[in-house]
């Protein structure tokens, strides 16, 4: 098991950094915001808490939550325009610094492609570097389910994305940063996990992560050390 000092060295020399999105890169949980927007906020927030705690499989929780929300295409677009996702303080600067160092940055999320791509645009991250779930709609815009073939639609999916990235780009060191159990489970194959508690603290992650931060400034400082 790597020590904290070794994890910090991996981060400083990483050739790719993957960020979770909900409650990490942005302040909210996208699915909870969509649920509130569609009038079923409380029921879905409880399901999200259980999913993030790791007590139910991610796909089962996602299926159940979306079955309650049943968002239309129009509702998703209106949510993004009326209540755009709020970036977490420090993330813009951190991503910019990583880009300056030639590090590839990816957004790997159990959230929804349309919302995550909106976030990527704000951070100058190419949409090709976004891995998220895709909602499906009928021709009239009504909810038709989600693409279950996406790796991010199931438990262990973020690890599959990292394996894919290593195979495709031959990355030597990949870092995963996030607030939840699904992020922590991605290492291995990720080489370093950094737990993030700046928006919400997940007890299981805080207790088990060797490196746990509350603000992205802590990572900016690590990059300046070198």
């Amino acid at each position: 098991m790597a020590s904290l000092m070794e994890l910090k060295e991996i981060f400083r020399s990483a050739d790719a950094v993957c960020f979770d999105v909900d409650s990490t890169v942005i302040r909210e949980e996208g699915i909870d915001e969509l649920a509130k927007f569609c009038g079923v906020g409380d029921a879905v927030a409880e399901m999200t808490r259980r999913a993030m705690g790791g007590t139910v499989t991610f796909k089962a929780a996602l299926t159940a939550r979306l079955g309650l929300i049943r968002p239309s295409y129009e509702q998703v677009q209106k949510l993004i325009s009326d209540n755009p996702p709020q970036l977490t303080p420090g993330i813009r600067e951190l991503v910019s610094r990583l880009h300056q160092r030639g590090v590839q940055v990816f957004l790997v999320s159990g959230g929804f492609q349309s919302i995550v791509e909106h976030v990527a645009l704000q951070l100058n991250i190419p949409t090709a570097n976004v891995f998220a779930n895709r909602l499906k709609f009928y021709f009239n815009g009504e909810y038709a389910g989600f693409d279950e073939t996406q790796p991010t639609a199931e438990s262990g999916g973020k690890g599959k994305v990292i394996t894919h990235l290593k195979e495709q780009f031959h990355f030597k060191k990949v870092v995963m940063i996030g607030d939840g159990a699904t992020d922590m489970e991605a290492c291995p194959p990720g080489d370093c996990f950094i737990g993030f508690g700046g928006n919400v603290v997940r007890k299981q992650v805080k207790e088990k992560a060797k490196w746990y931060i509350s603000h992205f400034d802590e990572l900016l400082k690590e990059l300046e050390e070198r």
Side-chain angles (χ1 to χ4, degrees), residues 64 92 115 118 174-175 186 194 201 207 221 224:
R92 201 186 290 274
I115 296 174
H118 178 81
V174 178
V175 173
I194 303 171
V201 175
E207 287 173 357
K221 286 194 187 98
E224 304 311 327

Side-chain angles (χ1 to χ4, degrees), residues 106-122:
F106 296 87
L107 299 181
V108 184
S109 172
F112 307 123
Q113 188 88 14
S114 49
I115 296 174
V116 177
E117 284 184 354
H118 178 81
V119 173
L121 199 63
Q122 295 180 70

